[in-house]
Amino acid sequence: MAAVTSSTNGTRDGVHVRTCPLCEAMCGLRVTVDQGRVTKIRANDDDVWSRGYICPKGTTLGELHHDPDRLRAPLVRRGDAFHEVSWDEAFAEVERLLHGVIERHGKGAVTTYIGNPTAHNFSLSRYVAAFAPMSGIERLYSAGTVDQWPKNVSSALLFGGMWLFPIPDLDRTDHLLMLGANPHASQGSLLAAADVLGRLDAIRARGGKVVVVDPRRTGTAERADEWVAIRPGTDAALLLAMVQVLFAEGRVAPGPLAARTNGIEEVEALCRDFTPEAVASTCGLPAEQIRRLARELSDAPRAAVYGRIGTCNQEFGTLASWLVDVLNVLTGNLDCEGGAMFSNPIAPSLAMLTPPEFAGGFTFHRWKSRVRGAPEVLGQVPVSCLAEEIATPGEGQIKALITIAGNPVISAPDAAKLDAALPELECMISLDNWLNETTRHAHVILPGSSVLEQPHYDELIWSWAVRNAGKFSPALFAPEPARPAEWQILLRLAAMLQGQKAADVNVEALDDLFFAGIVATVAADSRSTIAGRDPGEITAQATTTGPLRLLDFAIRTGPWGDRYGEDPEGLTLEKLAAQPNGLDMGPLEPRLDELLRTPSGRIELAPPYIPADVARLRERLARRDEGLVLVSRRHVRSNNSWMHNVRSLVTGKDRCTLLIHPDDARRVGLEDGGSARVASRAGSLVAPVEVSDEMRPGVVCLPHGWGHDKSGTRLGVASEYAGVCNNVLAPGDLVDVLSGNAIVNGIPVEVSPA
Ligand SMILES: Nc1nc2c(c(=O)[nH]1)N[C@H]1C(S)=C(S)[C@@H](COP(=O)(O)OP(=O)(O)OC[C@H]3O[C@@H](n4cnc5c(=O)[nH]c(N)nc54)[C@H](O)[C@@H]3O)O[C@H]1N2
Ligand SMILES: Nc1nc2c(c(=O)[nH]1)N[C@H]1C(S)=C(S)[C@@H](COP(=O)(O)OP(=O)(O)OC[C@H]3O[C@@H](n4cnc5c(=O)[nH]c(N)nc54)[C@H](O)[C@@H]3O)O[C@H]1N2
Ligand code: SF4
Ligand SMILES: [Mo]
């Protein structure tokens, strides 16, 4: 186990094989190191998963690692200035601040915000799951409520697991209906595959069809057979009308799924009045097109419907997410080859374990937020509540915030409100590698290791991979010896929140406790591969600590694992690590039976939580659409808000522009290259104009993740290419009713020459 325990393959010069941790494509890289510096990064052609695919971001891991602005030591703020301090001093300051808040206001005054890189960082993702319960923080916020919360709600209801996401079996489908996703930029989301666009080309090359539903003719839509230029926020109406066509034309054909599904008749009743004609003007699509889309989906031998962020971050996010899988079931394509399937990763994610509070099924609205009364959904309220919970005095006011790999001043709706509220905190601690728009408000910043200084495994993302596989990367550079790993920081913070003094915390003991708890939970699960085994016998066999021990456990108890000695031929982390190009266990296979976790043991196609919102959708059909609405976009050379400090990614053409259709531009008096003032009821900004017929008329578009012009940051390059923050325009109270997820697509705006 030596190679893995040391968790580094040394800093020797040469070429190192590694997986890119930046997005769900998980590309294999070859990293050349010369005299301790990364000099070149190329695709690893031998990687069994990505087979030589790479995007421009993957080549910049060296720039990220060597970025002089990247924090290497903790920072403590005194007045307006930050000072580098030792780790002991930093933790002593954290203790002073956190304990002060708890003494004065109680634990309820402390909260945390969890950001996106957590999902791509094994040390963070696993130990955030330890931090939350161990710290006793009851209410937390995350980027999840500006992302996939609707999908979490829909999967919790349909399948009994909030992370059980069916994904399109790209390599075998004959027909792909994709809504609100642009893998041309994002490289796939809740759908892990390297070179998604190449795989779409392959669908077409084998005679299949790719349809992209998006208010913008994206790079993905350009490569598809058909672009469906929908009006933002109306996907649920489109999909419900397609369901209606299936019922009306006798095309409902769930096949063997019928015997495992409840609620098909209820769905029929819900869709009855949503004919293509009834929704056409709302969706901005001809009724014949909607009817044809339904027929083509039903006629295709193997088809899959896939919706992503455009279907979540919008007015009817949960309905749209639910209907994606309703269509997959009704056409008999769920859990079938070439349809929408569930992956079977080498190391099953521990996130798949049902939280104990939901063991008897998912319930919602167990509590409400203090200020606006937003109902809790899956343990969270909208992240836009955070600003008012900090700014509004009274019992329960938030006085301390711990941000973990997040930049909500840019990424959360009502961005300006949060920016104004954060200075009111008595204590703000940030686990973050840069001094940016959010962390500049912190009292203490605790940096994690760089992506090349830590081992890497995508513990959650393999759960929605298009093949059953796994890949492990040891750390490339040895971290500085005195420096704690992020998982150790999280455990230390959790103990301090329980009242311990920084110097007294025994991180190893806490880690052992966490591990023992997980082993006991899994051993008690009758469906696990170690069901009924003595947890003590398992823990005694573990040779590592921290995230590596958990990864080893997931592999060994996984579908190909050695089950701690029961199958000596089976996999362990050591065996996986011996395969730097990864292990591919083959294409997806049906596995609904082993995964379904609903109380009934069946797919719940019409859960009682859903129908009330269908009534809201019906009311939407009566609403007239006037004026312009704003949507978001991504670009392959950006990564949310945090990679604009990499010069090679931001130079060239300005990418933070307002896209507007020529007809709209003419009407409001704008020209290409000019300057536009964009205003909503939340705020306003001025952005450069890019006139393009890639927009659907009536819809304008800004990228998200920009706005690096704030003072007090340490982002030399990003501040030169500041751009504007689109979330200044997003009203925080606009949320999808069922999930509380933010609506950042389809925001009414007024546009005029600046
Ligand atoms: N208008 C609009 N808003 C959106 C979206 C949209 O499409 N439109 N998209 C939403 C989505 S999908 C998401 S996921 C959120 C993202 O929201 P956030 O997660 O809040 O934002 P990021 O920009 O990903 O910020 C990541 C932070 O993590 C830090 N970081 C990077 N790597 C590491 C690391 O290894 N360790 C630690 N400790 N810190 C690290 C960075 O410095 C940065 O501060 O934004 C959401 N906001
Ligand atoms: N290069 C790069 N890759 C990334 C990221 C990044 O910032 N940069 N972010 C990562 C993260 S955190 C995430 S969550 C994923 C997201 O991955 P994707 O879901 O693929 O996200 P986008 O590329 O923003 O594509 C969303 C599309 O939805 C469309 N859209 C907007 N409103 C609507 C609507 O109402 N209906 C429909 N049908 N479409 C709509 C937009 O025009 C846009 O083309 O990407 C990840 N990958
Ligand atoms: S697509 Fe780009 S950013 Fe994503 S994993 Fe591959 S190289 Fe990294
Ligand atoms: Mo995201």
Side-chain angles (χ1 to χ4, degrees):
M1 199 78 209
V4 177
T5 323
S6 70
S7 77
T8 170
N9 57 10
T11 54
R12 282 162 298 134
D13 289 355
V15 180
H16 302 267
V17 166
R18 190 169 177 78
T19 294
C20 177
L22 295 174
C23 86
E24 296 187 26
M26 303 186 287
C27 299
L29 307 176
R30 286 193 191 128
V31 183
T32 307
V33 178
D34 188 11
Q35 297 182 31
R37 284 192 76 83
V38 176
T39 53
K40 191 167 77 178
I41 297 184
R42 293 288 179 270
N44 176 10
D45 295 332
D46 298 326
D47 189 288
V48 298
W49 162 257
S50 59
R51 299 170 183 279
Y53 184 76
I54 191 172
C55 91
K57 289 187 298 304
T59 64
T60 67
L61 295 187
E63 284 167 83
L64 275 178
H65 175 74
H66 297 299
D67 180 354
D69 290 336
R70 183 172 63 78
L71 305 179
R72 275 112 174 134
L75 297 183
V76 165
R77 184 146 57 85
R78 302 212 175 88
D80 282 341
F82 279 103
H83 299 271
E84 271 195 16
V85 298
S86 71
W87 282 94
D88 285 345
E89 287 170 289
F91 283 125
E93 181 69 359
V94 171
E95 176 189 314
R96 191 181 69 77
L97 291 166
L98 269 184
H99 286 181
V101 168
I102 294 170
E103 257 165 49
R104 288 188 296 276
H105 311 286
K107 183 78 79 57
V110 186
T111 192
T112 181
Y113 170 82
I114 300 161
N116 171 270
T118 305
H120 300 272
N121 174 327
F122 186 48
S123 182
L124 282 179
S125 63
R126 256 311 86 219
Y127 282 83
V128 158
F131 172 76
M134 280 187 174
S135 65
I137 291 181
E138 278 172 6
R139 299 184 178 186
L140 53 83
Y141 299 82
S142 82
T145 55
V146 201
D147 191 340
Q148 81 296 329
W149 226 237
K151 195 77 203 166
N152 292 126
V153 170
S154 134
S155 280
L157 293 170
L158 263 69
F159 310 121
M162 65 181 277
W163 296 106
L164 282 178
F165 301 147
I167 55 149
D169 184 10
L170 289 183
D171 296 339
R172 291 179 295 186
T173 196
D174 303 308
H175 186 98
L176 177 66
L177 175 64
M178 166 153 36
L179 306 99
N182 181 19
H184 179 256
S186 68
Q187 306 297 312
S189 177
L190 307 184
L191 165 61
D195 191 16
V196 175
L197 263 70
R199 290 172 137 109
L200 301 190
D201 290 345
I203 295 174
R204 302 182 62 196
R206 60 179 180 262
K209 182 166 184 180
V210 177
V211 180
V212 171
V213 181
D214 198 303
R216 176 173 158 237
R217 197 181 64 242
T218 59
T220 307
E222 294 273 10
R223 295 265 282 267
D225 294 277
E226 184 172 355
W227 169 43
V228 181
I230 195 167
R231 175 175 292 135
T234 66
D235 299 76
L238 164 68
L239 295 171
L240 203 49
M242 290 176 66
V243 171
Q244 193 276 339
V245 173
L246 296 184
F247 279 108
E249 299 188 356
R251 291 170 172 274
V252 169
L257 289 167
R260 297 143 84 189
T261 305
N262 287 336
I264 294 181
E265 296 87 54
E266 284 91 330
V267 171
E268 180 173 19
L270 284 172
C271 74
R272 203 159 284 148
D273 49 340
F274 286 84
T275 60
E277 287 71 20
V279 306
S281 75
T282 300
C283 299
L285 302 171
E288 312 82 76
Q289 187 181 22
I290 298 173
R291 192 161 274 118
R292 179 175 52 76
L293 290 174
R295 288 174 182 161
E296 287 176 359
L297 180 74
S298 119
D299 286 343
R302 302 185 293 187
V305 187
Y306 162 68
R308 206 22 307 256
I309 203 158
T311 58
C312 284
N313 274 342
Q314 58 134 300
E315 192 176 354
F316 293 95
T318 305
L319 286 190
S321 300
W322 163 67
L323 287 162
V324 162
D325 287 323
V326 167
L327 278 172
N328 282 324
V329 170
L330 294 181
T331 54
N333 285 306
L334 188 89
D335 199 40
C336 290
E337 245 184 56
M341 304 188 75
F342 298 96
S343 315
N344 196 14
I346 283 175
S349 170
L350 293 167
M352 296 298 162
L353 298 170
T354 306
E357 73 250 47
F358 296 126
F362 287 87
T363 54
F364 304 92
H365 302 193
R366 294 168 300 165
W367 48 270
K368 287 195 158 93
S369 75
R370 181 180 63 105
V371 179
R372 82 170 77 153
E376 163 274 346
V377 175
L378 298 176
Q380 295 186 29
V381 292
V383 63
S384 56
C385 294
L386 185 54
E388 71 215 22
E389 294 293 332
I390 295 170
T392 313
E395 177 76 31
Q397 183 180 10
I398 289 172
K399 297 287 187 181
L401 170 69
I402 300 170
T403 69
I404 302 170
N407 192 6
V409 164
I410 298 281
S411 61
D414 254 338
K417 264 194 200 158
L418 186 63
D419 197 30
L422 293 180
E424 295 178 34
L425 289 166
E426 292 175 18
C427 166
M428 178 169 160
I429 316 291
S430 290
L431 251 77
D432 208 288
N433 299 357
W434 279 272
L435 176 46
N436 64 16
E437 298 76 18
T438 296
T439 62
R440 73 197 173 114
H441 295 299
H443 298 96
V444 184
I445 308 179
L446 305 169
S449 309
S450 97
V451 292
L452 298 179
E453 289 168 334
Q454 52 187 319
H456 179 72
Y457 191 87
D458 291 280
E459 88 107 7
L460 190 55
I461 290 163
W462 289 107
S463 313
W464 39 84
V466 293
R467 295 182 67 85
N468 298 329
K471 258 194 294 179
F472 175 76
S473 307
L476 195 154
F477 293 117
E480 293 138 47
R483 190 162 168 181
E486 282 166 293
W487 64 272
Q488 292 167 320
I489 300 175
L490 284 172
L491 290 178
R492 193 171 289 278
L493 289 178
M496 286 157 76
L497 278 159
Q498 292 291 13
Q500 286 195 39
K501 290 187 164 303
D504 296 345
V505 180
N506 184 340
V507 170
E508 289 72 41
L510 287 176
D511 185 40
D512 287 345
L513 200 67
F514 179 51
F515 182 62
I518 284 177
V519 174
T521 306
V522 175
D525 179 350
S526 62
R527 298 201 227 187
S528 102
T529 61
I530 53 161
R533 297 268 294 272
D534 169 18
E537 175 227 334
I538 307 279
T539 49
Q541 288 190 55
T543 48
T544 47
T545 59
L548 295 180
R549 174 165 59 179
L550 290 169
L551 175 57
D552 188 44
F553 175 75
I555 294 169
R556 299 177 77 170
T557 58
W560 293 278
D562 80 339
R563 303 193 298 281
Y564 287 91
E566 272 186 10
D567 176 8
E569 302 298 304
L571 280 180
T572 60
L573 172 56
E574 191 179 12
K575 288 185 192 165
L576 179 65
Q579 306 287 334
N581 296 319
L583 273 180
D584 182 341
M585 307 312 242
L588 305 184
E589 284 171 16
R591 58 189 304 247
L592 191 61
D593 285 335
E594 53 178 306
L595 288 177
L596 265 185
R597 287 283 189 281
T598 51
S600 64
R602 295 156 68 91
I603 299 171
E604 293 295 348
L605 212 56
Y609 193 55
I610 295 280
D613 216 41
V614 174
R616 190 172 66 95
L617 182 63
R618 195 171 287 116
E619 286 163 23
R620 168 69 181 88
L621 299 184
R623 191 167 89 208
R624 281 189 52 208
D625 289 285
E626 293 160 338
L628 296 171
V629 294
L630 175 74
V631 297
S632 297
R633 70 173 182 273
R634 288 172 162 73
H635 192 280
V636 70
R637 302 182 82 91
S638 72
N639 199 11
N640 297 331
S641 74
W642 69 276
M643 284 187 67
H644 298 141
N645 213 42
V646 176
R647 191 170 298 274
S648 64
L649 292 177
V650 285
T651 46
K653 186 170 168 266
D654 185 0
R655 279 188 293 276
C656 191
T657 58
L658 181 81
L659 284 172
I660 184 167
H661 187 272
D663 295 348
D664 293 325
R666 209 171 305 117
R667 200 169 35 77
V668 299
L670 286 174
E671 277 180 11
D672 192 63
S675 207
R677 183 171 179 279
V678 190
S680 73
R681 69 173 162 84
S684 73
L685 53 77
V686 173
V689 175
E690 195 175 339
V691 175
S692 169
D693 69 359
E694 75 193 46
M695 292 312 301
R696 177 201 152 84
V699 185
V700 293
C701 177
L702 281 170
H704 96 114
W706 296 82
H708 308 297
D709 53 352
K710 302 210 181 299
S711 63
T713 63
R714 197 180 293 171
L715 296 167
V717 177
S719 56
E720 281 176 51
Y721 300 86
V724 291
C725 176
N726 64 346
N727 277 323
V728 162
L729 300 170
D733 59 349
L734 283 187
V735 298
D736 166 46
V737 169
L738 292 182
S739 65
N741 196 87
I743 300 171
V744 293
N745 290 312
I747 302 168
V749 288
E750 286 185 9
V751 178
S752 54

